[in-house]
Amino acid sequence: METIIYFNKINSIGGVESWLYYLAKKYDFKVYYKEANVEQIKRLSKLVEVHKYKQPIKCDRFICNYNFDIEVEAKEKIEMVHCDYKYVRFKPMLFDGFKYIGVSQVACDSFSELTGKECELMYNPLEIEKPKVEKYNDNKIHLISATRLSSEKGLERMQKLAKLLDQEKIDYVWNIYSNRRKKIVGANAVYNDPKLDILGEIAKADYLVQLSDCEAYCYTTNESLLVGTPVIITDLPVFKELGYKHGENAIICDLNMKNVDLDLIKEKSMKFKYEPPKSNWDKYLSSKKTYNPDELVEVKATKRIYLSENDTHYKPRETFKVKKSKASELEAMGCIEW
């Protein structure tokens, strides 16, 4: 049964992109998109077949994310609900003949309340191998964040936390992975370019910080707990749903940041084993992989390109063969058609 997952745009970083990556690690399906970050495609194409959308799709099962703006013929159509629509205060778009699946109970409940439609809960599979790294061996508090530096993701709360740490004269370093560096969080903030994989850095840190207004899931915090790093978070319903507990695997702050437990932060004493909610995507997707990233396919150059793999130049409209994974990467770069 062929399943296609569609994105209008696959961004360089984001929770929906993490959702797709973890599904691709375990299950067999194809991905289609209109726009995409090349690094995301390079990573995905090692796991599943990836194509740029050019013509109508025909498949057994079709899953879309936020946008349904293409021609599709499918036996079953699903729209994913990645958002707490009640919080963001706008009604989601509904499409004829679709069923709806939410990434958390919070997402499902808010969607159903606003639309009157049923929404099935489907947690994502999170299979992570803990990096073999050691915690920082010094007296500093090492914080890490990988997030947009925006109001809804808690920029003002991050600034309040930095101010509280400074007032308490706590020696800390805060590594922040974001593409918005102009926002000043604190004097001890170290800004880094976003990366697809920072699990090693998360595992070394004392805490991951995510102080959002609202979350429908939050993959970064789950990744953090799975590698043994507790989190500093806001008191949100989804974190209760996912099993985050103050003093056990998390430091939970009120939205007004008036109850930040600085003494607990300084202790660095939490030891725990975290089990995320069990995924049940086996109901819809096959874990039997049919995709071979090394299979050769014939492609056609759309511009003059050079491949270092075989030290060869290709002219526009010239055909040649490459591995499927490489074809997806070249297509995302606008170099070939296949």
Side-chain angles (χ1 to χ4, degrees):
M1 189 175 201
E2 183 178 55
T3 297
I4 286 175
I5 297 181
Y6 169 71
F7 282 75
N8 175 276
K9 184 176 183 180
I10 300 175
N11 294 302
S12 58
I13 53 173
V16 184
E17 286 73 20
S18 295
W19 169 84
L20 177 61
Y21 173 65
Y22 284 114
L23 275 187
K25 286 181 71 174
K26 184 172 182 180
Y27 294 108
D28 190 62
F29 51 83
K30 293 180 182 179
V31 174
Y32 279 77
Y33 65 88
K34 281 190 174 179
E35 298 179 54
N37 171 265
V38 174
E39 292 304 311
Q40 286 280 8
I41 298 304
K42 285 174 66 175
R43 180 168 75 158
L44 281 171
S45 64
K46 294 180 176 69
L47 304 169
V48 292
E49 190 169 319
V50 186
H51 294 274
K52 188 167 186 178
Y53 174 80
K54 295 182 285 291
Q55 59 189 21
I57 290 173
K58 187 175 182 179
C59 60
D60 296 299
R61 178 178 291 116
F62 174 77
I63 301 173
C64 68
N65 298 269
Y66 293 117
N67 300 92
F68 176 51
D69 53 359
I70 59 175
E71 293 184 53
V72 173
E73 181 182 338
K75 296 175 184 177
E76 184 177 42
K77 295 178 181 178
I78 296 169
E79 181 186 356
M80 291 302 305
V81 178
H82 295 280
C83 178
D84 181 348
Y85 282 104
K86 188 176 179 180
Y87 170 79
V88 297
R89 297 181 182 177
F90 66 84
K91 196 170 182 178
M93 295 181 66
L94 302 177
F95 307 112
D96 290 339
F98 274 73
K99 68 182 299 182
Y100 304 94
I101 293 177
V103 297
S104 66
Q105 193 64 57
V106 166
C108 291
D109 291 346
S110 68
F111 177 87
S112 295
E113 183 176 335
L114 290 173
T115 65
K117 300 286 186 180
E118 291 185 7
C119 186
E120 183 178 2
L121 172 61
M122 197 71 61
Y123 291 117
N124 214 44
L126 285 175
E127 297 182 359
I128 291 174
E129 185 175 338
K130 185 176 179 180
K132 294 179 180 179
V133 297
E134 299 292 333
K135 294 285 186 183
Y136 290 102
N137 187 24
D138 57 30
N139 293 322
K140 297 178 185 292
I141 301 291
H142 289 269
L143 309 176
I144 188 168
S145 293
T147 185
R148 296 192 305 275
L149 294 180
S150 58
S151 178
E152 75 277 6
K153 288 297 182 180
L155 173 62
E156 290 81 8
R157 294 186 193 94
M158 294 171 74
Q159 292 171 328
K160 285 182 180 179
L161 177 59
K163 185 176 181 179
L164 289 170
L165 294 170
D166 290 338
Q167 289 174 345
E168 195 71 13
K169 293 182 170 52
I170 295 173
D171 192 7
Y172 70 97
V173 175
W174 195 339
N175 272 293
I176 299 173
Y177 290 81
S178 179
N179 48 15
R180 295 181 65 184
R181 299 187 182 192
K182 293 182 180 179
K183 303 288 187 178
I184 303 301
V185 173
N188 292 341
V190 178
Y191 293 93
N192 306 273
D193 290 331
K195 294 197 305 182
L196 292 180
D197 184 3
I198 60 168
L199 282 179
E201 298 305 312
I202 294 174
K204 290 192 294 184
D206 296 308
Y207 303 97
L208 180 130
V209 181
Q210 186 66 54
L211 298 171
S212 305
D213 290 354
C214 175
E215 294 285 353
Y217 190 85
C218 197
Y219 296 89
T220 307
T221 53
N222 260 18
E223 290 171 339
S224 185
L225 296 190
L226 284 167
V227 299
T229 297
V231 293
I232 301 175
I233 54 172
T234 35
D235 190 6
L236 301 179
V238 75
F239 291 139
K240 292 185 178 71
E241 177 184 340
L242 297 176
Y244 295 23
K245 298 179 180 179
H246 183 76
E248 181 178 311
N249 55 25
I251 294 173
I252 301 176
C253 308
D254 290 340
L255 291 172
N256 59 20
M257 298 294 288
K258 291 185 177 179
N259 70 329
V260 180
D261 194 335
L262 295 175
D263 289 334
L264 185 56
I265 291 176
K266 287 189 288 185
E267 284 179 12
K268 300 194 295 185
S269 59
M270 292 185 217
K271 305 293 182 184
F272 58 89
K273 183 177 181 181
Y274 177 69
E275 293 288 342
K278 186 177 179 180
S279 171
N280 49 349
W281 269 103
D282 288 349
K283 178 178 178 180
Y284 291 100
L285 300 175
S286 172
S287 57
K288 184 178 179 180
K289 290 280 190 177
T290 61
Y291 172 67
N292 178 8
D294 296 328
E295 179 184 342
L296 294 178
V297 294
E298 188 171 277
V299 300
K300 182 171 67 175
T302 57
K303 59 174 70 173
R304 185 176 178 85
I305 61 173
Y306 168 73
L307 291 185
S308 58
E309 291 91 332
N310 57 8
D311 192 28
T312 304
H313 288 271
Y314 295 98
K315 300 175 182 178
R317 295 182 296 280
E318 186 174 355
T319 60
F320 56 98
K321 289 187 175 182
V322 293
K323 294 178 180 180
K324 273 189 174 181
S325 57
K326 187 66 176 181
S328 294
E329 178 187 341
L330 292 172
E331 185 178 43
M333 296 168 65
C335 296
I336 61 102
E337 294 178 346
W338 68 303

